[in-house]
Amino acid sequence: MKRADNFNAGPAALPLPVLERIQDELPNYGGTGMSVMEFSHRSAEYEAIHNDAQTRLRRLLGIPDGYQVLFLQGGASLQFAMLPMNFLKPGEKALYVLTGSWSQKAADEAGRYGELLIDDWAKQGGYRDIPASIAGDDPSLRYVHITSNNTIYGTQWRALPKTTAPLVADMSSDILSRPVQVEDFALIYAGAQKNIGPSGVTVVIVRDDFLETANSDVPTVLKYSTHAQANSLYNTPPTFAIYVMACVLQWVEETGGLAGIVERNQKKAAAVYDVIDTHPNLYLGHAEKRARSEMNVTFRLPSDELTKSFLAEATERGFVGVKGYRTVGGVRVSLYNAVPVEAALRFAEFMQDFARRNG
């Protein structure tokens, strides 16, 4: 079976061993005679899967005691509203650092609930860079919100900021791709569909003392506390997506853990960025070098015609998902955890070949 070199930005590649395991277990999980998709979410069989996913995520990310790990639905887009709904009121202030389209969407939602302070330094520069510092020490701030990686523009906080105000991060596109000091954050949220699983489940990691300050006048199903008290089983969770996530997390542990992920991700990103740096007149990288994302490499070619030619050849060679986001254009190569190093090397070789013929 030939697998595509899948560089989709999300839903993204899943590890082949995980897909093969799912295929094997799909009709009869653990000798139960049922698929995971058929389990009651109140059953002992599903509860074991659910808790296993939580335990593995805690272990891999080093999540300390005093934090809740929630499995929710609605993607990061629901978190854009759920976060301020729980932690912001009229007259209260939050700082939103704009580093891309998704942080802008998060700010747009938060503006419905309280007063926003906006750091738009990166926006003014065309989202090519990440701020060297932010004003996160104002004691009147309810929280500070960042987006750790920007899929559309290919920028990333290479060093995550520390603030005295509670720090919140959307880590949808780089969670579990590198070490993170979870204790520096009051809340982290991430859609699973890029690095840790399939679409359908959203991970929220929230500190207990921050959770205790949440607003009470929130619909029950939209309260973080509701899901924390019920172990994310208040209503029917996305059981199959959580099962797949547990499988992915086990694969991470069996292939070198987070250290192995970091090593492979660095190799992938270096392979593609080295070609960009070798041919700077042909491959016009969007991000400043200090802000380059290891997850999403973005660049253009000198003309629309050459860009179209590049994308057409990439498709012919079996590379999937490398067209830039619809509002930005150009080329985007997403190198999430499950993308094999060999796939990135093949794409880098294609880039070199294209440069020899068109540079």
Side-chain angles (χ1 to χ4, degrees):
M1 177 183 62
K2 178 174 172 52
R3 294 270 295 161
D5 285 331
N6 181 1
F7 300 107
N8 274 318
L14 287 167
L16 180 58
V18 169
L19 295 173
E20 291 172 338
R21 173 183 172 181
I22 295 166
Q23 183 182 42
D24 180 61
E25 294 180 342
L26 188 61
N28 182 12
Y29 178 83
T32 61
M34 294 184 292
S35 171
V36 170
M37 289 187 286
E38 299 174 296
F39 287 167
S40 165
H41 65 292
R42 306 295 182 191
S43 67
E45 291 84 359
Y46 173 71
E47 187 175 8
I49 293 169
H50 190 94
N51 292 337
D52 178 63
Q54 287 188 0
T55 298
R56 291 184 189 277
L57 191 62
R58 283 185 177 275
R59 189 160 57 226
L60 284 164
L61 283 177
I63 301 172
D65 293 340
Y67 281 79
Q68 301 291 324
V69 176
L70 310 180
F71 298 148
L72 306 182
Q73 300 176 64
S77 294
L78 178 57
Q79 293 306 305
F80 296 163
M82 192 168 169
L83 170 69
M85 191 181 294
N86 278 263
F87 293 108
L88 200 58
K89 291 180 178 178
E92 294 181 333
K93 296 185 294 184
L95 171 63
Y96 274 70
V97 185
L98 304 187
T99 52
S101 298
W102 301 113
S103 55
Q104 178 70 68
K105 289 179 182 292
D108 291 344
E109 290 293 335
R112 303 171 186 268
Y113 298 95
E115 180 183 346
L116 297 193
L117 304 179
I118 298 295
D119 182 336
D120 64 351
W121 179 86
K123 182 177 182 178
Q124 291 180 23
Y127 292 134
R128 297 175 62 89
D129 207 348
I130 294 293
S133 63
I134 57 176
D137 296 334
D138 183 343
S140 69
L141 289 174
R142 193 70 173 87
Y143 61 84
V144 176
H145 181 282
I146 67 167
T147 303
S148 57
N149 183 77
N150 305 287
T151 56
I152 294 175
Y153 295 97
T155 60
Q156 186 177 29
W157 291 82
R158 302 304 306 154
L160 291 163
K162 294 186 178 182
T163 62
T164 55
L167 182 60
V168 173
D170 175 1
M171 292 190 182
S172 293
S173 55
D174 65 352
I175 192 170
L176 201 60
S177 70
R178 56 177 175 167
V180 170
Q181 294 296 117
V182 174
E183 54 267 35
D184 291 341
F185 296 86
L187 187 148
I188 294 168
Y189 63 91
Q193 67 272 14
K194 300 175 188 291
N195 270 321
I196 57 175
S199 57
V201 58
T202 307
V203 170
V204 174
I205 303 164
V206 57
R207 197 171 64 218
D208 288 340
D209 63 355
F210 186 58
L211 183 57
E212 290 170 0
T213 70
N215 302 331
S216 59
D217 55 341
V218 177
T220 303
V221 77
L222 295 175
K223 288 182 178 179
Y224 291 113
S225 60
T226 297
H227 300 285
Q229 291 164 10
N231 191 29
S232 301
L233 294 167
Y234 170 76
N235 62 330
T236 305
T239 56
F240 188 71
I242 293 169
Y243 155 71
V244 177
M245 181 171 65
C247 294
V248 171
L249 296 174
Q250 183 174 343
W251 169 81
V252 171
E253 291 189 312
E254 292 173 349
T255 55
L258 185 55
I261 288 289
V262 170
E263 181 181 4
R264 294 191 293 273
N265 285 343
Q266 289 176 345
K267 286 181 179 177
K268 290 181 287 186
V272 180
Y273 282 123
D274 283 351
V275 182
I276 291 174
D277 291 339
T278 301
H279 304 281
N281 295 324
L282 179 65
Y283 299 122
L284 312 176
H286 178 79
E288 296 290 342
K289 286 187 178 182
R290 69 176 187 176
R292 282 175 168 175
S293 169
E294 288 190 341
M295 297 287 95
N296 311 96
V297 181
T298 56
F299 60 91
R300 291 179 173 275
L301 286 86
S303 68
D304 289 344
E305 292 74 17
L306 209 51
T307 299
K308 290 178 182 178
S309 177
F310 179 91
L311 291 171
E313 285 197 32
T315 299
E316 290 173 5
R317 296 199 185 196
F319 299 117
V320 175
V322 297
K323 185 177 181 180
Y325 192 73
R326 61 183 181 271
T327 59
V328 176
V331 180
R332 173 174 58 179
V333 187
S334 296
L335 302 171
Y336 299 127
N337 289 353
V339 174
V341 172
E342 294 76 16
L345 295 177
R346 283 190 289 270
F347 191 79
E349 183 179 355
F350 160 63
M351 290 175 66
Q352 289 281 20
D353 178 59
F354 190 88
R356 283 192 292 269
R357 293 180 285 109
N358 297 275

